[in-house]
Amino acid sequence: MSTHEDRARSGGSVMGREGLLRMLDQARERSFDVVIVEALDRLSRDMEDLAGIHKRLSFLGIEIRAVHEGVVNTVLVGLRGLVGQLYREDNTHKVRRRQAGRVKQGLAGGGLTYGYDAVAGKSGERVVVEAEAQVIRRIFQEYVDGRTPREIAHDLNKERYHLRGGGHGMPQLLMAISRGVPAFCRTSFM
């Protein structure tokens, strides 16, 4: 009997969206007979996704086995799917509440936003990156002057502006900036 767990050990990590899609492709090719998971929430914490995965694998005659629960059936998928989704939704609320609290304290609520850099040793504090601030001022000014985001992005792409970490492309930059608009409005580099 071939298991997807065996294939995962030899080929690297299975889960993650790409790994899940690869596993489902291999299931259609009948590359394995059983999927072994530590717990069902390792497949998905979304009720619909988990039920869909179970349905597809069952249709193909592939069993899912959870380490501590054995062979997975529809009832277990329903229960674990509900518990997993409630856990995920509860965590989402907690994270958002924490981020809101940090923002009320004048700190950054999450990752780095284009135009800012972290202050070493001071969690949540940010400092303006002047070169990026100039790009942001330009984008806002051109938008106020009536240019569309597409036109602005086209020009900035031609001038080869890049995101930190090797990313490039002005659509991504404009999206990164738009996520930080409230922060930009509070900070006095405009």
Side-chain angles (χ1 to χ4, degrees), residues 25-92:
D25 286 342
Q26 291 172 350
R28 282 188 289 279
E29 296 166 5
R30 305 282 205 263
S31 297
F32 54 89
D33 304 308
V34 176
V35 174
I36 300 173
V37 293
E38 178 182 6
L40 283 176
D41 65 1
R42 301 297 68 199
L43 285 176
S44 181
R45 286 193 178 131
D46 179 278
M47 289 188 313
E48 181 181 8
D49 285 351
L50 186 57
I53 293 165
H54 179 255
K55 182 177 180 180
R56 284 176 187 80
L57 293 176
S58 294
F59 178 78
L60 295 169
I62 297 171
E63 266 184 5
I64 301 174
R65 292 186 189 169
V67 172
H68 298 292
E69 297 175 312
V71 176
V72 172
N73 59 33
T74 303
V75 172
L76 192 57
V77 166
L79 291 172
R80 292 294 181 208
L82 176 61
V83 169
Q85 182 152 335
L86 290 172
Y87 175 81
R88 181 178 51 89
E89 289 173 1
D90 186 48
N91 268 353
T92 299

Side-chain angles (χ1 to χ4, degrees), residues 96-116:
R96 287 186 181 147
R97 188 172 56 242
R98 181 176 186 271
Q99 288 173 334
R102 290 179 60 83
V103 169
K104 284 181 183 176
Q105 295 171 359
L107 301 172
L112 284 178
T113 303
Y114 186 84
Y116 294 98

Side-chain angles (χ1 to χ4, degrees), residues 105-143:
Q105 295 171 359
L107 301 172
L112 284 178
T113 303
Y114 186 84
Y116 294 98
D117 210 351
V119 176
K122 297 185 177 181
S123 176
E125 291 191 28
R126 301 290 185 254
V127 62
V128 173
V129 176
E130 188 54 39
E132 294 176 359
Q134 289 175 8
V135 175
I136 294 164
R137 287 186 202 107
R138 172 182 170 182
I139 291 168
F140 279 108
Q141 187 58 56
E142 289 184 20
Y143 185 77

